[in-house]
Amino acid sequence: MNPLHTNDVRGSHAIHDTTPAARWEDAFLAGNGEYGIMVEGGPHRERVVLNHHRYVLPNGTRHLRAAETADRLEEIRDLVLAGRAPEAQRIWAGGEELRWTQSFHPGHALEIATPAHGPVRDYLRRTGFDTGEITVDWQDDAGPWRRRSFVSRADAVVVQEFTGPPAELRLRLTGDLPGCPEDVRHRCTAAGLGPGRALLNARATYPPGLGAYGFEAVLLVHAPGARIDTDGEVLILRGARRVLLLGKLDRHERPGRRTAALQRALDLLPADYDTLLAAHTALHTPAYRRAALDLTGAPAAEASPVAASATSTASAASAGLPAAALAERQRKSPDALDPALLELLFHSGRYLLLSASGVLPPRLTGLWIGAWGAAWCGDFTTDANLNLQLAGANLAAVPEAVHAHAALVRGQVADWRANARALYGVRGLLAPGRTDGEHGHLFHLDDDWPWPAWLAGADWLLHPLHEYWRTTGDDGFLRAELAGWLIEAAEFFEDFLTRTDDRGHVVFVPSYSPEIAPEGVAGSASVNAVMDVAAGRHALESAIEVCEHLAVEPAAVVRWRALLSRFPPYLVNPAGRLTEWAWPGLDGNLDHRHVSHLYPVWPLHEITRDTSPELAEAAHRALAGRGDENLSAHGSLHRALAAARLRDAGLARANLLKILGGDMLFRSLMSSHNPGLEIYNADAAITLPGLVLELLVDARPGRLDLLPALPAELARGTVRGVACQGRVTVEELAWDLPAGTVRAVLRSAVGQTLDVHCRGARRSLVLAAGTAEAAVFDGL
């Protein structure tokens, strides 16, 4: 038997549980970047919730646009500079209340019922990260039972197979999911199609006149040898030992259904689970296996001598433990990292990132939701959360997530242009603070939330794509799209920055540091928010970089360099902390979940310990003095990423432990937004791989730092497949600090000399294009 299809629960490339999912938050997850499934419930009554990335509840916001206030820009600026920001904010809001994005929602649920045949024994549910397959096994007096499912990347189809004794099987598609609005109408049917075949269809209609029309699911059932009956919307199968279900999902913009077309597409697929799985794993498995982590010394055939010699009691103690047991063990020891759990979360997070990325990047809940009424609409919150979830997209070698993010930008960059014109009368791009994925118009604002003043959005959201180009050297993508977007981001600041202070520095006004106001000042719209200043500088520098690389726009490059020379400097307050606004007299709340003013530290490399030590120390003091507010996952993760860049392993570790030791992991290893399993949210689950890699590798063109912020519990380990800026891949990094040895095998796509640093030691490595070289550090 193919080992990928066994129920071997050893290792960290799968999660398993011996307890059924009693609630949807504990459901095991699979997805292909467009469809997602959540498998919950017990042996005799199981539910598979069907999700689609584009299922969002219409609320009438499609027609909303950014306010046409460009002709009042100078008035707005004068008001903000005069300390009358609330009046400026009212101009944008126009007396309107805060309007939210369209809320992400679940589709339908497949309910699976079988009669009990005595007590259940040997229950086991499992998700294999390398295949994307969820299996559920158990035994009772009738014999062994198995259900397995996945979502195919190759065929865009949900595939499920049920095997077991020839007992009665009842299947039902339903829209009866928690919180479903009464005005969303469902019609679910079941019908036989002849010998051994049947169809389940569920249609839903949204309230009219607010946006899209509705959505539906079509499930084709293959049940050879079964007697097929229906009881209303319930399909009853008797006598089948093997049942195959193939499912398609769709969302409809206007009245009319595509049921027949969806069924025809299903008819064309082979009615064989293993054949469909092989086509899926041909795409999914190589993508998943690009990177791997070993923190417990688990033996592996390909392990280096250093890694093979590393042993850990954690490995033996963790063998065969359910993921929930590992999480519980960590909760009972909240002051010490559990390497086995962290390793499992690294692999789980890469799996979830890959599975949630396709037509769009991950939402606040990834690609999964089991109830209506998602917190913050389950949208893309762009001022922090989305970029945090993409922190590992490049480093952890998941280009699928970068391509999905590019699709999001591509789908709404025209709206960003419209925002810039309407609000400021300038060229370039102005991104909104949140989007549901259908458009990028900036309308989520009121008197208290001045999102028009957030100038950093386009640069912040384009950064993962710029980083991708620096990592891969994909000049085709650069020429086709990215260079144009980066140039437009620079053009925005070129047109916007027309005010100067008495020292000749350009002034960023209005400006906004999400989601905070300076202390002692009315309103949140302000002056020279550090995130905006850093974004403006990075936008101009990135545009210069790509224009010089492509030998285009020489006159613009000259203008941009001149503009950069007039940028305001960052400020340090009397306590030695980097201020959140580079404007005299403005300073920030020390107890807030956001740390946007550390944008120059992470993800940028503008402020570093080696290039700007004084500013780095000021940034570190600002970070160390920041409170936790509500202990939100994104806040702790953002702090940990910045701490890693600032070489503070202890602070990075402390923020990581706020999540791992704070009861923020469901049995599925999906995470919560706050401690106590409050609010289903993917921030921690999907961001963790990027954070772990930042503890192990800090890469920028021409320089590589190994183990820059390694927590004490991770004294031994191996990581493979880290994709770095500068077109360098860390094929393997193995470390054994008790033995004083670190060894890195590096491969470059281009010939270059690379400075490699490790815990105070330095090597200059000459890399030929396409060849691997080892950097060995002994006696550390």
Side-chain angles (χ1 to χ4, degrees), residues 736-737 739-742 759 761 763 776-780:
D736 186 345
L737 295 188
T741 303
V742 176
R759 305 176 76 82
R763 302 281 186 274
V776 180
F777 297 84
D778 291 312
L780 295 175

Side-chain angles (χ1 to χ4, degrees), residues 32 34-37 50-52 55 107-108 110 150-160 173 199-203 215-221 245-252 258-270 276:
N32 68 350
E34 182 177 19
Y35 301 174
I37 60 172
L50 306 174
N51 296 133
H52 192 293
Y55 282 178
H108 295 90
L110 172 68
F150 67 96
V151 188
S152 175
R153 272 195 178 270
D155 296 305
V157 62
V158 176
V159 184
Q160 301 174 82
L173 267 180
L199 193 73
L200 291 168
N201 178 223
R203 303 174 178 181
F215 57 99
E216 76 174 309
V218 177
L219 268 62
L220 180 62
V221 181
L245 277 74
L246 306 177
K248 286 277 190 181
L249 311 178
D250 200 8
R251 187 167 187 258
H252 309 296
R258 297 186 60 245
T259 309
L262 296 174
Q263 183 183 340
R264 285 194 298 271
L266 294 174
D267 283 330
L268 295 175
L269 295 173
L276 293 164

Side-chain angles (χ1 to χ4, degrees), residues 496-619:
F496 175 84
L497 294 172
T498 58
R499 291 274 182 118
T500 57
D501 63 16
D502 56 8
R503 294 165 298 171
H505 296 132
V506 292
V507 178
F508 290 71
V509 60
S511 184
Y512 181 42
S513 191
E515 299 168 10
I516 188 171
E519 286 188 326
V521 176
S524 300
S526 192
V527 187
N528 285 6
V530 165
M531 185 180 194
D532 287 341
V533 175
R537 180 178 287 109
H538 184 254
L540 293 167
E541 290 175 345
S542 299
I544 291 169
E545 177 186 10
V546 300
C547 285
E548 291 184 337
H549 178 78
L550 299 175
V552 298
E553 302 286 352
V557 168
V558 172
R559 296 196 308 271
W560 295 335
R561 289 192 188 281
L563 181 56
L564 282 168
S565 70
R566 300 165 55 214
F567 264 49
Y570 300 130
L571 300 181
V572 178
N573 68 16
R577 293 190 292 262
L578 180 74
T579 62
E580 195 154 350
W581 293 267
W583 189 255
L586 298 184
D587 214 344
N589 178 356
L590 292 181
D591 185 28
H592 197 269
R593 60 196 177 278
H594 284 265
V595 287
S596 302
H597 56 315
L598 298 182
Y599 187 26
V601 175
W602 182 91
L604 306 182
H605 279 98
E606 182 190 349
I607 295 178
T608 70
R609 287 289 188 186
D610 57 285
T611 62
S612 46
E614 293 182 358
L615 276 178
E617 181 56 31

Side-chain angles (χ1 to χ4, degrees), residues 270-291:
D272 182 77
Y273 183 95
D274 290 326
T275 300
L276 293 164
L277 180 62
H280 164 68
T281 55
L283 300 175
H284 175 95
T285 302
Y288 173 78
R289 288 181 175 171
R290 291 189 197 113

Side-chain angles (χ1 to χ4, degrees), residues 580-669:
E580 195 154 350
W581 293 267
W583 189 255
L586 298 184
D587 214 344
N589 178 356
L590 292 181
D591 185 28
H592 197 269
R593 60 196 177 278
H594 284 265
V595 287
S596 302
H597 56 315
L598 298 182
Y599 187 26
V601 175
W602 182 91
L604 306 182
H605 279 98
E606 182 190 349
I607 295 178
T608 70
R609 287 289 188 186
D610 57 285
T611 62
S612 46
E614 293 182 358
L615 276 178
E617 181 56 31
H620 182 261
R621 289 187 179 183
L623 177 63
R626 196 76 157 191
D628 287 311
E629 195 181 7
N630 60 0
L631 283 168
S632 61
H634 72 83
S636 298
L637 291 161
H638 206 158
R639 288 164 170 75
L641 286 161
R645 287 283 176 90
L646 293 169
R647 306 294 186 257
D648 189 337
L651 187 55
R653 173 185 176 277
N655 278 284
L656 181 56
L657 279 170
K658 291 172 189 174
I659 294 171
L660 301 192
D663 192 21
M664 298 179 75
L665 297 174
F666 294 102
R667 299 184 76 89
S668 59
L669 291 190

Side-chain angles (χ1 to χ4, degrees), residues 331-354:
R331 282 196 295 272
K332 290 179 178 178
S333 301
D335 299 323
L337 287 175
D338 187 328
L341 176 62
L342 193 58
E343 178 184 313
L344 182 60
L345 286 167
F346 175 85
H347 293 132
S348 174
R350 282 192 73 252
Y351 166 74
L352 294 174
L353 175 61
L354 175 63

Side-chain angles (χ1 to χ4, degrees), residues 681-700:
N681 175 265
D683 289 347
I686 294 182
T687 304
L688 275 167
L691 172 56
V692 170
L693 290 180
E694 289 274 359
L695 303 176
L696 305 179
V697 175
D698 182 14
R700 50 192 135 143

